[in-house]
Structure formats: structure tokens, C-alpha cells
Amino acid sequence: MKAFDLLPSALIGAVASARSMTPMAALAGAHLARRKTPGTLRLLTHPVFTGGALFMGAGELFGDKMKSAPDRTVFLGLLARVMSAGIAGAALAPKGRERLGAGLAIGTAVPLAYLTLAGRKRAMSEMGQTKSGLIEDALIVAAGIAVVVWATERRR
């Protein structure tokens, strides 16, 4: 195993720190585009997972702009990050290293959730909740897609 083989798992954990459902939505999109993940996870190929992940990813982007949206560091927010980062980190890890990839993604997502929250709060104070959220959405969704595309291979 090369040193950079687990980098996609760490990067998808960073994505999960800011948007908990984006890693799952990016994996669902990769599945629809017939891209194969390095790690073996049967869950990723189930149509209910694919549709649900895309729906939840879009829903999170809308819900984040609401004044009543909780901080990403509340218990349920962190739990969603742990689950999403773990599944995505395992899927993007080399075959046989799925557990290590999951642990690395979770270990990246949880502490970074506090840092990304601090950055978002600062941006909110300067430009407001909606504008800062839209900018964060664009950056995080693009990062999630880029990581998944980079880590997957196109089926022939």
C-alpha cells in the first residue's frame, strides 16, 4: 500500500465535516455514473441507498439555510458525520483496507466539524447565513465530487 492510498478517505472525511450528507450523495452520483469504488461495500449499489443519499444530500443543502438549523457539532450532527464519513471513507479506501479508511475519515470529520463551524460562524457574521451557506455549499459539493471522481474508476 502506498502512502497516498488512504488520502481519499481522509479528504472525504473533511467533506463530511462541513456537509454530512455530501459524501453519500457524491458516492450515489458515482454509482449512477457507473464508477467503481476501490473498497467493497454492497450498500452502495442498492437503489434505495442511491435515491435516499441524493435526496438527503439535496435536503441538507436547503435545510442548512434555515435560521433554525442546528450547529453541525450537536450530537445528531456529529453522529451523521461519523456514519457518512465512515461509509464513504471505507468505500474510497483500497480493497482490504476499508476499516482503516472508515476510521481515518471519521477521525478527520469530527475534529474538522468544529473548525468548519468556526469558519462558517465567522463568514455568517460578515456576509449572513444564506450567502455564507451558498459559498460553503459550492466549495464542499465541488470538493466531494472531486474526491469521489478522483478515487473511483470508470467501469468499462
Side-chain angles (χ1 to χ4, degrees), residues 16-19 64 70-79 81 112-118 120-121 136 140:
S17 76
R19 291 289 177 275
D64 179 64
D71 285 347
R72 61 193 73 178
T73 57
V74 300
F75 175 75
L76 290 178
L78 288 175
L79 180 61
R81 280 159 178 73
L112 276 183
Y114 291 91
L115 290 174
T116 59
L117 176 61
R120 174 70 187 278
K121 284 183 174 183
E136 186 179 41
I140 296 304

Side-chain angles (χ1 to χ4, degrees), residues 19 21-22 24-25 51-62 141:
R19 291 289 177 275
M21 294 296 117
T22 297
M24 304 305 287
L54 291 170
F55 178 78
M56 292 189 67
E60 181 181 33
L61 297 178
F62 287 107
V141 169

Side-chain angles (χ1 to χ4, degrees), residues 1-17 81-82 84-94 97-112 150:
M1 185 170 80
K2 299 176 201 156
F4 288 106
D5 287 349
L6 290 168
L7 185 57
S9 296
L11 292 174
I12 207 68
V15 168
S17 76
R81 280 159 178 73
V82 165
S84 178
I87 292 168
L92 299 181
R97 300 288 192 180
E98 291 91 348
R99 288 183 188 210
L100 185 56
L104 183 59
I106 292 167
T108 302
V110 173
L112 276 183
W150 174 53

